Amino acid sequence: MKLVFAGTPEVAVPALDALIASDKHEVVAVVTRPDAPAGRGRRLVASPVAERAEEAGIEVLKPAKPRDEEFLARLREIGPDCCPVVAYGALLPKTALDVPARGWVNLHFSLLPAWRGAAPVQHSVMAGDEITGASTFLIEEGLDSGPVYGTVTEAVRPTDTSGDLLTRLAFAGAGLLVATMDGIADGSLQAVPQPADGVSLAPKITVEDARIDWNAPALRVDRVVRGCTPAPGAWTEFRGERLKVRTAVLAPDRTDLAPGELSVGKKNLYVGTGSHAVELLWVQAQGKKPMAAADWARGVRIGAGERLG
């Protein structure tokens, strides 16, 4: 099939690479978000998908909005058979959905109908799921509600951050997306409506969602830290300033600390929760670089009775 691929961040690049490498399809253009300011200089930078497409000599379309008439006219002119999508980052209007004969097919990083929305992997880790995966589905005007072509499953490991899990799903999902394109092209694959039961929503994680509640059980604290890593980053407060918790592990042997209470050793920093303690491994003070938690604790000279949160 003749394909127009839509995607923006780094997580979409493995799928684009897999489609480019396929000998059954041709990626004739890429749709991505406009260049965005990045870094200290805030200079405009192309998206990872745009950079990869340009390296491969593929036309790149960067509409401010996918309903822009200039973009729609170019899409109609290209006349794609199908438009595979991975983390594009904008809602597609019906005028765009109607262009490709075989529709727009999204690779979504959950086992639909679970975790419909912008942050499925983060919510999966924070909810304590043991199994998650990726799904390909035909995009409709509803939120991730279209019929499903296929799925792959992936175990959530006890130490997975959302970044770890998303990286694995990006590569597993790339293979699923190519197989879905193959099945659509040869007619062997039919989309199946999603069940009405088991729907859960995964809206974007806010900064407030990433705030650690030390009164919660240690298992919940651990899931928030892992689910919010690398973004937006789990955080707490110390002396009125924000402190990010980059890495932490459960410390079930320490049950002597009250929620938020700190215990500093030569090589360890423990903090109490609503159950047992957690050990902080890496933290990042406001305006500083990440550092070992025990080194941070020695540097700030934690006083008796000082707490996090």
Side-chain angles (χ1 to χ4, degrees):
M1 295 191 295
K2 181 162 65 169
L3 306 177
V4 170
F5 178 87
T8 298
E10 188 67 41
V11 72
V13 173
L16 175 58
D17 282 339
L19 289 167
I20 291 171
S22 170
D23 57 3
K24 297 181 180 179
H25 313 288
E26 181 186 7
V27 180
V28 294
V30 156
V31 185
T32 190
R33 301 294 291 146
D35 297 356
R40 289 189 176 180
R42 307 304 289 166
R43 65 184 183 89
L44 290 178
V45 175
S47 74
V49 163
E51 290 183 352
R52 178 68 188 93
E54 285 163 3
E55 287 172 8
I58 297 170
E59 179 182 356
V60 179
L61 307 173
K62 302 178 182 179
K65 296 179 180 178
R67 63 172 173 267
D68 290 353
E69 191 50 49
E70 185 179 345
F71 162 69
L72 292 172
R74 179 59 187 141
L75 190 63
R76 294 186 193 103
E77 189 178 9
I78 293 169
D81 297 307
C82 190
C83 294
V85 185
V86 185
Y88 170 47
L91 290 175
L92 297 161
K94 191 173 187 304
T95 47
L97 294 178
D98 288 344
V99 174
R102 312 253 182 130
W104 296 67
V105 176
N106 192 38
L107 171 63
H108 182 76
F109 297 114
S110 82
L111 297 174
L112 291 170
W115 304 127
R116 294 176 178 173
V121 175
Q122 291 162 305
H123 280 275
S124 183
V125 173
M126 292 171 74
D129 291 350
E130 294 182 355
I131 298 290
T132 186
S135 308
T136 49
F137 70 94
L138 183 66
I139 295 180
E140 299 177 339
E141 290 188 89
L143 176 65
D144 300 334
S145 59
V148 172
Y149 283 107
T151 61
V152 290
T153 59
E154 180 72 33
V156 183
R157 300 169 188 171
T159 59
D160 270 342
T161 65
S162 62
D164 297 332
L165 185 55
L166 188 56
T167 297
R168 295 203 306 276
L169 287 171
F171 285 93
L176 172 65
L177 187 59
V178 172
T180 300
M181 292 297 106
D182 293 349
I184 292 172
D186 66 19
S188 64
L189 199 56
Q190 298 295 320
V192 177
Q194 293 184 34
D197 296 331
V199 175
S200 52
L201 300 179
K204 183 179 178 180
I205 300 291
T206 67
V207 172
E208 193 56 36
D209 292 332
R211 183 174 191 158
I212 298 170
D213 177 8
W214 298 108
N215 290 297
L219 200 59
R220 174 62 184 167
V221 172
D222 173 65
R223 289 172 180 173
V224 169
V225 171
R226 291 188 296 110
C228 293
T229 300
W235 62 281
T236 185
E237 285 188 339
F238 180 73
R239 295 177 185 168
E241 291 193 340
R242 189 170 295 183
L243 178 73
K244 281 192 174 183
V245 177
R246 306 289 294 240
T247 319
V249 293
L250 300 173
D253 294 339
R254 292 295 303 266
T255 57
D256 57 320
L257 299 175
E261 184 181 355
L262 294 160
S263 173
V264 184
K266 287 186 178 180
K267 295 184 179 181
N268 307 92
L269 175 63
Y270 297 96
V271 57
T273 74
S275 56
H276 58 75
V278 296
E279 181 183 353
L280 305 187
L281 301 182
W282 284 86
V283 299
Q284 184 175 6
Q286 199 165 314
K288 305 289 186 181
K289 293 182 178 180
M291 64 189 303
D295 294 341
W296 168 80
R298 283 194 297 273
V300 298
R301 298 184 179 180
I302 294 168
E306 284 195 291
R307 296 189 179 195
L308 295 181

